[in-house]
Amino acid sequence: MPRHETSRFTDLNGEVIHHFLSVSSFSEYTVVDIAHLTKIDSSIPIFKAAGLLGCGVSTDISLRTANVEPGSTVAIFGLGSIGLAVAEGARLCGATRIIGVDVNQDKFEIGKKFGVTDFINPANCENKSVTELMIEMTKGGADYCFECVGNSSLVQQAYACCRKGWGKAIVLGVDQPGSQLTLPSYDVLHKGKTLMGSFFGGLKPKSDIPVLLNRYINKELQLDEFVTHEVTFEDINKAFDLLIEGKCLRCVICMNPVS
């Protein structure tokens, strides 16, 4: 979260270069605010564990924002790398049931590795909606519903699938600029649910990232499993193709040739 009104990047001619989502993932060198630096053990793999906790996976594994409780039921809308990281975090928090929702049937087998216990494919719901099926499966709705795609209609669906009284719908997916969300005002009050966004998972990097890395070292936390491909910068378009085709989770782009 930048504290200064500048991109901190310029080209050889002094022209301002704007970075990607304040992350600049494709930069070989970068300028980082000292408040956002976290010292880690030199033995931690930079291209896997360390890189994943810089952004993305850490947002979803932490679940500090949602405060998932042991024994709870978690529903995840979208089982890409974001959704699977939510599943991993829910597993670590002790969730009893983790329900994945995705149109790609293959994601169920992948999801099982990260703790997913049940799967709903919207294309195979026959004459029932996902909301109806979710409420039926959970006998009232999930305790926590995570939207991990970036679609306002899915946010509404996640909210509808929450349990009345204490259910939480957490938005992680990045929707298109200008997208609007509409909810019945009556439901907001009378159903007692919570709708919230999660930025970086509510993590405090300097104190929380070392804890996550310690769990990784102790083989409690899966991180290496998220990296399914490694390519050189010259093959960056291949990485995007794998992403679009749903054939990878995290693809690491190395500035230098992969050894």
Side-chain angles (χ1 to χ4, degrees):
M1 300 178 69
R3 298 187 295 172
H4 309 288
E5 299 299 321
T6 171
S7 75
R8 293 167 289 144
F9 289 94
T10 58
D11 63 15
L12 293 176
N13 299 317
E15 295 293 326
V16 174
I17 299 174
H18 297 284
H19 42 55
F20 178 70
L21 292 177
S22 300
V23 177
S24 304
S25 301
F26 303 147
S27 297
E28 188 172 1
Y29 300 100
T30 190
V31 180
V32 181
D33 189 321
I34 191 171
H36 302 150
L37 287 174
T38 302
K39 186 176 181 179
I40 64 173
D41 192 297
S42 60
S43 65
I44 301 295
I46 293 294
F47 293 115
K48 291 191 176 181
L52 292 174
L53 290 182
C55 182
V57 170
S58 54
T59 301
D60 320 305
I61 283 177
S62 172
L63 303 187
R64 181 189 288 274
T65 301
N67 192 27
V68 172
E69 298 178 344
S72 58
T73 297
V74 172
I76 304 168
F77 293 79
L79 290 181
S81 58
I82 298 293
L84 292 174
V86 170
E88 176 71 357
R91 181 185 67 80
L92 290 173
C93 288
T96 303
R97 199 172 186 186
I98 303 173
I99 305 170
V101 182
D102 201 292
V103 294
N104 185 344
Q105 191 67 34
D106 295 337
K107 290 297 180 71
F108 187 28
E109 289 304 315
I110 299 172
K112 288 179 181 179
K113 300 176 183 177
F114 296 94
V116 174
T117 59
D118 302 84
F119 185 77
I120 296 176
N121 186 336
N124 299 332
C125 288
E126 297 180 351
N127 60 341
K128 293 184 179 180
S129 67
V130 171
T131 301
E132 291 172 331
L133 193 57
M134 182 73 69
I135 291 175
E136 181 181 293
M137 289 174 64
T138 58
K139 293 181 172 56
D143 300 305
Y144 306 89
C145 291
F146 291 84
E147 194 281 333
C148 304
V149 176
N151 184 295
S152 58
S153 64
L154 278 183
V155 174
Q156 291 173 297
Q157 192 171 83
Y159 185 80
C161 289
C162 286
R163 185 174 292 273
K164 294 179 183 178
W166 63 80
K168 293 182 181 179
I170 302 93
V171 181
L172 292 169
V174 181
D175 206 345
Q176 296 181 5
S179 295
Q180 299 292 314
L181 181 64
T182 303
L183 294 172
S185 59
Y186 181 89
D187 288 357
V188 173
L189 173 61
H190 292 85
K191 293 192 176 180
K193 303 178 182 181
T194 301
L195 175 63
M196 60 203 308
S198 178
F199 190 83
F200 201 49
L203 275 177
K204 295 179 179 179
K206 289 187 181 296
S207 56
D208 291 338
I209 285 182
V211 172
L212 292 176
L213 285 173
N214 189 55
R215 300 192 77 170
Y216 165 75
I217 292 171
N218 292 332
K219 300 188 183 303
E220 299 172 27
L221 169 63
Q222 300 182 91
L223 289 178
D224 295 344
E225 290 78 4
F226 284 97
V227 179
T228 54
H229 297 78
E230 296 181 30
V231 300
T232 60
F233 188 76
E234 289 73 17
D235 291 326
I236 188 172
N237 288 332
K238 176 184 177 182
F240 279 113
D241 289 339
L242 289 168
L243 180 66
I244 293 169
E245 294 167 4
K247 294 181 178 179
C248 76
L249 296 182
R250 292 289 179 182
C251 185
V252 174
I253 300 170
C254 304
M255 294 299 177
N256 299 314
V258 180
S259 58

